[in-house]
Amino acid sequence: YDNGFWWRLGQFDSRYGFEANDSADLAFTSQGFVYGGMPKTHTGILLGYELSAMFGLSLLISNPATRGATAAAAGNFDYGFKLSSDFDGFKAGVGGLFFNNRTAGSGSGWLFDIVAGTSVEGLNIDLEVAFTKTGTGADTGIGFLGQLDYGLTETMTAGARIEYTKSWDGTDSQLGFA
């Protein structure tokens, strides 16, 4: 809307992480390790407000992430927020997602995601750090991701990705290069 408010209702791609959910929007042939522990989609409502041309806030209430419309048992909703900025070729965001009882006896959990990036003369640099706790007694997981790509032509891009995860998405430590 002209006053800065916006909304989405239904199923939509997650706003957490910087790697795209759809393969047509990826810089590489697949997403990385950090993406594996991120929510993929939400089914619910996302309310947003653009505070200015540079800053925005969004709030989320949805069924458990990546589970579709039929997955919500009574009271099992995900709640989230994201603060984002985009100015002079620099973008950054901080988001949090809070959830309860995704599986029987799992308790509550959370995800905090911090992303930053810049684009200069065809060179894109993106960084991400994410922290998660998936349930009662679970280890806190951490993921780091750095990605660099450069548009060689309008149809060809060269890039590199390095990432590290620990206790992330049910796995031990992983180090990856692409």
Side-chain angles (χ1 to χ4, degrees), residues 26-96:
L26 293 175
F28 296 92
T29 57
S30 65
Q31 295 97 344
F33 299 140
V34 175
Y35 175 83
M38 291 291 185
K40 313 309 184 253
T41 60
H42 300 282
T43 303
I45 187 165
L46 182 64
L47 303 170
Y49 181 67
E50 299 299 324
L51 299 144
S52 70
M54 297 185 294
F55 296 101
L57 168 68
S58 61
L59 301 172
L60 169 76
I61 301 173
S62 75
N63 287 352
T66 317
R67 301 266 176 102
T70 61
N76 278 357
F77 292 104
D78 285 358
Y79 301 95
F81 72 91
K82 184 158 187 183
L83 296 168
S84 56
S85 66
D86 192 352
F87 56 95
D88 293 335
F90 179 77
K91 61 187 178 205
V94 175

Side-chain angles (χ1 to χ4, degrees), residues 10-166:
Q11 185 170 356
F12 43 88
D13 287 346
S14 178
R15 302 212 0 118
Y16 301 98
F18 75 82
E19 286 192 280
N21 191 31
D22 304 312
S23 61
D25 299 325
L26 293 175
F28 296 92
T29 57
S30 65
Q31 295 97 344
F33 299 140
V34 175
Y35 175 83
M38 291 291 185
K40 313 309 184 253
T41 60
H42 300 282
T43 303
I45 187 165
L46 182 64
L47 303 170
Y49 181 67
E50 299 299 324
L51 299 144
S52 70
M54 297 185 294
F55 296 101
L57 168 68
S58 61
L59 301 172
L60 169 76
I61 301 173
S62 75
N63 287 352
T66 317
R67 301 266 176 102
T70 61
N76 278 357
F77 292 104
D78 285 358
Y79 301 95
F81 72 91
K82 184 158 187 183
L83 296 168
S84 56
S85 66
D86 192 352
F87 56 95
D88 293 335
F90 179 77
K91 61 187 178 205
V94 175
L97 182 67
F98 307 91
F99 47 88
N100 188 31
N101 291 328
R102 286 197 170 164
T103 59
S106 67
S108 60
W110 47 262
L111 166 76
F112 286 101
D113 182 48
I114 304 163
V115 295
T118 189
S119 297
V120 179
E121 303 285 329
L123 176 66
N124 300 308
I125 302 168
D126 292 293
L127 302 170
E128 178 176 13
V129 61
F131 305 92
T132 189
K133 182 174 185 280
T134 55
T136 303
D139 288 337
T140 302
I142 188 166
F144 296 100
L145 173 62
Q147 183 169 302
L148 174 75
D149 64 74
Y150 182 74
L152 301 171
T153 67
E154 286 187 26
T155 58
M156 187 165 47
T157 301
R161 172 175 65 203
I162 183 170
E163 58 187 329
Y164 172 78
T165 60
K166 179 170 178 23

